Amino acid sequence: MSDRLRTSRRTLLAATAGSAAALAVGNGSARAADDSTVNRTALRALIDRMSLEEKVGQLFVMRVYGHSATEPDQADVDKNLEEAGVRNAAELVAKYRVGGIIYFGWAHNTREPHQIADLSNGIQRAALEQPTRIPVLISTDQEHGIVARVGKPATLMPGAMALGATGAPADARRAALIAGRELAAMGIRQNYAPVADVNVNPANPVIGVRSFGSDPEAVARLVEAQVEGYGSGGVAATCKHFPGHGDTKDDSHYSLPTIHHTREEWQKLDAPPFEAAIAAGIDSVMTAHIVVPALDPAEDPATLSAPILTGILREQLGYDGVVVTDSLGMQGVRTKYGDDRVPVLALKAGVDQLLNPPQPEVAWNAVLRAVRDGELTEERLDASILRILELKARRGLFRKPYVTHARVEREVGTRAHLAAAERIADRTTTLLVNEGGLLPLSARAHRNVLVVGADPASPSGTTGPPTTVLARALTELGFTAGALSTGTAPSAAKIDEAVAAAAGKDAVVVGTYNVTATSPQRTLVQRLLATGVRVVAVAIRNPYDVAQLPQVRACLAAYSWTDTELRAAARVIAGRAEPEGRLPVPVQRAEDAGSVLYPVGYGLSYEDEDEGEDGGEDGDQEQDQDRDRD
């Protein structure tokens, strides 16, 4: 253990003496807390001792560049000075008295687990040196699948739609439990997951496979399971994006989407997962930068809408926990109002935590000014701060703000956790097409394999590239496999190269990525098929690719291009694992979006290829019950 992490119990208690009285230790049940019984009176007394500047700071969750709280690289120092007027995380805490900090890979916060633990401890040390000694709630977006900020050697689990393909709450709960334990070991105590959006629009550019599926009740079951799993793992779960981002055709990172559901449609399609999360004791709910006219005729983004956040979330659904905005740097929330008005309007709407403001000083001063001018009252701030402090107390931050290297070694990326991820992934791969029993491939009869296709950047920066991962996995399974990256938009020359490389091969595996009607990926597949070689398509993101590839005789859906899910697909291709996954979303026909090509629950099996849907709905339900007993 390093000296920086060697903190004695006596030192810890002394550092937190002013705040530790704010909670009483319990075993934890509701919200699966570390400390289930929170002394509100003591927390209110703590709030009474805070200056107005400290209160404003508690409402913000800011980003900071660098791998260290005090000694980041010079390039990160420069970025911090440019964006926030500070050099490092410790100075950010001292200047803005922030209640939370969010980690990003691109901000160089998440190089590897021990470094993350050191960074977390440095941030907590800086916070506990402030007058009120309030620990920081450190958060990140570790959804798994295509959104993961912490990469290997931490365990990377299948993403939401992959878990939706298993249909098994036990798998979703186990994945969240492991993820929660590993995040908590690194000092990250709030995770912006699970995604509670119901992906009813296949063209959704921002949610897609981040959703568990298109059936509200199925999504609700898996959201509930993950809330329980994260909580048991010691992390505050955050369901998102309220009131539901699943039926948009625009990306709220770049514009302000509108959802045209009636209130009745919203209640039926979008509300059930959030209701399930609230019933399960969700710690925090993240807002969406979307307009839903049926819920707020003023057509303000939900993040800034009192009718949605106070009227529906708090009053109708009865939620009394922390409400956190989606990133305030996204264009969706900045379309109608300036960066100085957005945080004030969000607080007036019912928000508690203001996440990732693009101009920290502008946002912080705007809230401070709104209180001094009477637009916001201190009592309004106090209500939010109390919720935030309660969350911190439930998660044990007052009692135990620091982590240790020993805990990192004990929890992060362990052999047991990695094995569990592989087992869960083996139940996710969905076989959509298998004409003439083309699959599984035999390592004896089809030894020479070429893997081509898209190689998108790793979600965590630590896995891939996909073609190499698939080729390596097939080689380990007895094949002789090589890889050729052709990209998401292969040129004519690259397609020619792939066709030439396929000559003499026994099979070609093509990794496809969000194929459209005009995508040159279609041309690549068609040209390969024309060679007469066996072609296996693997949709490494959206399962909708299969509709654009009508001539393929074998097609799998992997739902993500992380190593874990690609290895699972390779095992299915090689016949080492059964294709157990079932579509959690319908796939429409390419030529007629109103007609379903493959319904929810569809998936082929090697055991009985003739049945197609492998026993239908009742069979799937029976299988789900069996898995949930694991």
Side-chain angles (χ1 to χ4, degrees), residues 507-524:
V508 177
V509 176
V510 186
T512 66
Y513 182 95
N514 293 4
V515 181
T516 65
T518 59
S519 172
Q521 292 181 74
R522 293 187 72 191
T523 305
L524 170 66

Side-chain angles (χ1 to χ4, degrees), residues 160-290:
M161 193 170 286
L163 292 171
T166 75
D171 282 345
R173 188 180 300 110
R174 179 68 174 162
L177 172 63
I178 289 172
R181 285 177 176 170
E182 296 199 5
L183 290 173
M186 293 178 278
I188 301 170
R189 304 303 292 268
Q190 183 179 28
N191 189 22
Y192 298 134
V195 171
D197 304 312
V198 181
N199 201 66
V200 296
N201 185 351
N204 192 323
V206 67
I207 303 301
V209 294
R210 297 168 64 194
S211 165
F212 290 109
S214 63
D215 182 306
E217 297 305 322
V219 172
R221 287 193 295 273
L222 298 179
V223 165
E224 178 183 10
Q226 290 227 301
V227 171
E228 294 168 353
Y230 281 121
S232 296
V235 165
T238 307
C239 64
K240 60 186 186 184
H241 307 79
F242 190 82
H245 210 314
D247 194 11
T248 60
K249 62 180 179 61
D250 300 309
D251 187 338
S252 52
H253 289 84
Y254 310 108
S255 62
L256 178 57
T258 297
I259 289 184
H260 298 285
H261 292 175
T262 66
R263 197 176 186 99
E264 291 72 23
E265 288 171 331
W266 174 82
Q267 188 66 53
K268 178 180 178 182
L269 293 174
D270 301 292
F274 293 101
E275 292 172 331
I278 292 168
I282 188 73
D283 287 285
S284 46
V285 174
M286 179 178 284
T287 68
H289 305 325
I290 58 173

Side-chain angles (χ1 to χ4, degrees), residues 205-461:
V206 67
I207 303 301
V209 294
R210 297 168 64 194
S211 165
F212 290 109
S214 63
D215 182 306
E217 297 305 322
V219 172
R221 287 193 295 273
L222 298 179
V223 165
E224 178 183 10
Q226 290 227 301
V227 171
E228 294 168 353
Y230 281 121
S232 296
V235 165
T238 307
C239 64
K240 60 186 186 184
H241 307 79
F242 190 82
H245 210 314
D247 194 11
T248 60
K249 62 180 179 61
D250 300 309
D251 187 338
S252 52
H253 289 84
Y254 310 108
S255 62
L256 178 57
T258 297
I259 289 184
H260 298 285
H261 292 175
T262 66
R263 197 176 186 99
E264 291 72 23
E265 288 171 331
W266 174 82
Q267 188 66 53
K268 178 180 178 182
L269 293 174
D270 301 292
F274 293 101
E275 292 172 331
I278 292 168
I282 188 73
D283 287 285
S284 46
V285 174
M286 179 178 284
T287 68
H289 305 325
I290 58 173
V291 167
V292 188
L295 304 184
D296 183 357
E299 299 193 9
D300 276 330
T303 298
L304 311 180
S305 169
I308 292 175
L309 298 187
T310 299
I312 296 177
L313 180 58
R314 295 239 187 254
E315 296 173 0
Q316 178 181 326
L317 301 187
Y319 177 65
D320 64 351
V322 170
V323 175
V324 56
T325 70
D326 205 342
S327 171
L328 297 183
M330 294 167 61
Q331 194 58 38
V333 78
R334 304 172 76 187
T335 299
K336 294 182 68 173
Y337 306 98
D339 292 337
D340 60 335
R341 292 300 298 156
V342 166
V344 176
L345 295 174
L347 291 169
K348 293 175 74 172
V351 158
D352 301 305
Q353 287 185 306
L354 301 161
L355 174 64
N356 199 27
Q359 300 183 77
E361 191 162 7
V362 169
W364 190 87
N365 280 315
V367 175
L368 187 65
R369 185 169 55 251
V371 178
R372 287 174 173 166
D373 292 347
E375 185 177 7
L376 290 170
T377 66
E378 271 199 71
E379 289 73 21
R380 168 65 192 89
L381 268 58
D382 291 352
S384 286
I385 294 166
L386 181 59
R387 294 188 188 103
I388 293 166
L389 295 183
E390 285 180 323
L391 192 159
K392 292 180 180 184
R394 283 196 307 272
R395 290 297 154 210
L397 274 169
F398 287 96
R399 180 175 56 87
K400 211 169 189 177
Y402 298 115
V403 292
T404 66
H405 281 302
R407 186 178 178 188
V408 171
E409 290 293 329
R410 189 170 62 248
E411 294 283 5
V412 180
T414 65
R415 183 177 300 177
H417 287 179
L418 295 172
E422 298 288 320
R423 287 195 301 271
I424 293 171
D426 272 340
R427 294 190 278 268
T428 67
T429 307
T430 305
L431 180 60
L432 298 173
V433 180
N434 193 24
E435 294 180 7
L438 189 147
L439 289 176
L441 298 180
S442 164
R444 284 187 293 179
H446 318 110
R447 178 173 295 276
N448 294 316
V449 177
L450 174 68
V451 180
V452 303
D455 273 336
S458 166
S460 66

Side-chain angles (χ1 to χ4, degrees), residues 448-518:
N448 294 316
V449 177
L450 174 68
V451 180
V452 303
D455 273 336
S458 166
S460 66
T462 60
T463 64
T467 55
T468 300
V469 173
L470 279 169
R472 185 186 303 120
L474 289 168
T475 297
E476 291 172 354
L477 293 168
F479 296 85
T480 301
L484 173 63
S485 178
T486 50
T488 56
S491 64
K494 184 59 70 173
I495 291 173
D496 288 342
E497 182 183 355
V499 170
K505 295 295 188 293
D506 298 313
V508 177
V509 176
V510 186
T512 66
Y513 182 95
N514 293 4
V515 181
T516 65
T518 59

